[in-house]
Amino acid sequence: EKMKKKILYLSFYDFNGGAAIAAYKFFKLIPKNKYDVDFYCYKKFSNNPAVKELQFTFLSYSKFLFNFSISRLIFFFTPLKERQKRSLCIFSTGALARIDLKKYDIIHYHWIFNELISIDEMLSFKKKIIITIHDLWFLNGSTHYNSENVNFLTKILEKFLKKNKIEKLKKKKNLTITTPSLWAHTQFAKKLKNADIKIISNDGRLITKKKIQHISDKNEKICLRNKYNLPVDEFICLINFDKKNVNIKGYDLLKKILTKLNKL
């Protein structure tokens, strides 16, 4: 009998927030008769026994807390115009030390923040790595979204971190980047254009040698149109936001639309 490939999913949470829920759904969709799949996270919210929390030694947890404190201090002196999540992830923590990585054929990284693991630790895995993009952290310095810097030190920090991170991604072999957002797909394809990574279009056509795959469920869109009797030739824009006045979650776009509709 052919040995099943083993996949390790890694995310900060398993079911708290959009990125974690997406990661968990990806994990659930993997056919267990073809693959052995484990899901590790910093904090577990589901009751699924297949999901495990990362186990830290006293030393590794101390490093994690120290790195977190250092990053907050650095961010204090390099502020942003708006409030948003930021992650340095440049200091190792040993978060994966208690996992037998040798038994896995693939590591699939999802949303990582709060200095859980460094970019070097992520990319040190010798076999296949998949990174699913839930925001733009892998393209930016410390920010998870595009941001306008407000002081000189912030610009220096972000430029240094961004350049360092992109160079590491470009050099990494056996890496696949996937994203559910066509806009993010375009952003990454542009920044990593010289990398040895395939870029695959939404319909599966190979565009270049690089590999950044946009995932989109066309059948789901058709089902939604049928369910709500929506014409197939109309363009529909859906905006979701979770906090008022938080523009990185789409509130600014929603407000503009509602203001215009109100006038009409």
Side-chain angles (χ1 to χ4, degrees):
E1 186 181 351
K2 190 177 179 180
M3 291 277 290
K4 290 192 288 186
K5 284 196 172 184
K6 298 182 183 295
I7 306 173
L8 170 63
Y9 272 68
L10 185 70
S11 184
F12 198 85
Y13 299 124
D14 68 331
F15 214 79
N16 181 37
I21 292 171
Y24 184 76
K25 286 183 176 179
F26 271 121
F27 164 70
K28 292 273 285 181
L29 285 170
I30 297 292
K32 304 304 185 287
N33 61 328
K34 294 184 179 180
Y35 301 94
D36 285 330
V37 192
D38 291 327
F39 192 119
Y40 278 85
C41 58
Y42 173 72
K43 185 169 178 57
K44 175 179 175 178
F45 287 87
S46 73
N47 295 319
N48 191 332
V51 178
K52 307 174 184 73
E53 289 188 345
L54 291 166
Q55 299 298 308
F56 291 88
T57 63
F58 175 77
L59 179 60
S60 62
Y61 194 70
S62 298
K63 287 175 70 176
F64 171 60
L65 292 178
F66 178 76
N67 294 346
F68 178 80
S69 301
I70 289 294
S71 69
R72 298 311 106 175
L73 181 63
I74 291 173
F75 296 151
F76 177 79
F77 290 105
T78 57
L80 300 173
K81 185 176 181 180
E82 73 289 332
R83 185 180 178 184
Q84 65 153 292
K85 285 184 171 64
R86 300 176 71 183
S87 306
L88 283 178
C89 293
I90 57 176
F91 306 114
S92 64
T93 63
L96 304 181
R98 289 197 168 188
I99 302 175
D100 182 11
L101 297 180
K102 292 180 181 178
K103 71 178 184 179
Y104 294 104
D105 300 291
I106 301 169
I107 290 186
H108 192 159
Y109 293 108
H110 281 267
W111 197 61
I112 306 294
F113 87 119
N114 269 3
E115 318 313 318
L116 178 65
I117 181 173
S118 72
I119 187 74
D120 286 328
E121 286 175 299
M122 286 186 223
L123 300 179
S124 65
F125 187 64
K126 302 299 182 185
K127 300 175 190 175
K128 187 171 184 60
I129 295 175
I130 299 174
I131 298 174
T132 291
I133 305 302
H134 296 284
D135 57 36
L136 297 184
W137 183 78
F138 281 95
L139 266 191
N140 291 336
S142 69
T143 60
H144 285 257
Y145 304 90
N146 289 334
S147 176
E148 293 183 13
N149 303 321
V150 294
N151 70 20
F152 183 67
L153 285 178
T154 306
K155 290 179 182 178
I156 293 175
L157 175 70
E158 293 302 306
K159 186 176 180 180
F160 168 77
L161 293 174
K162 179 190 289 188
K163 183 179 179 181
N164 186 53
K165 194 183 299 177
I166 290 175
E167 286 304 312
K168 290 180 188 297
L169 291 174
K170 283 183 175 181
K171 290 177 183 177
K172 182 62 186 175
K173 305 295 182 182
N174 215 5
L175 169 65
T176 298
I177 296 175
T178 68
T179 171
S181 163
L182 186 57
W183 177 80
H185 172 277
T186 304
Q187 295 283 309
F188 275 79
K190 201 180 295 180
K191 291 287 177 65
L192 300 177
K193 61 184 178 182
N194 297 320
D196 186 20
I197 309 168
K198 290 183 194 167
I199 295 183
I200 298 177
S201 69
N202 196 26
D203 60 2
R205 290 181 302 105
L206 185 64
I207 298 175
T208 68
K209 301 184 201 172
K210 310 178 243 346
K211 189 165 191 180
I212 303 171
Q213 187 162 355
H214 170 225
I215 301 169
S216 177
D217 191 341
K218 292 181 180 178
N219 292 327
E220 185 178 351
K221 293 177 183 178
I222 294 170
C223 289
L224 285 171
R225 285 185 181 274
N226 292 337
K227 182 177 179 180
Y228 296 106
N229 298 315
L230 302 172
V232 294
D233 57 345
E234 283 190 7
F235 179 79
I236 299 163
C237 178
L238 301 178
I239 297 177
N240 171 70
F241 79 99
D242 63 358
K243 291 179 182 177
K244 186 179 179 182
N245 297 327
V246 178
N247 291 350
I248 59 172
K249 295 294 185 179
Y251 176 75
D252 57 333
L253 300 176
L254 180 66
K255 186 179 178 183
K256 286 178 182 177
I257 291 171
L258 293 179
T259 301
K260 190 168 183 177
L261 288 174
N262 187 50
K263 290 178 181 178
L264 293 173

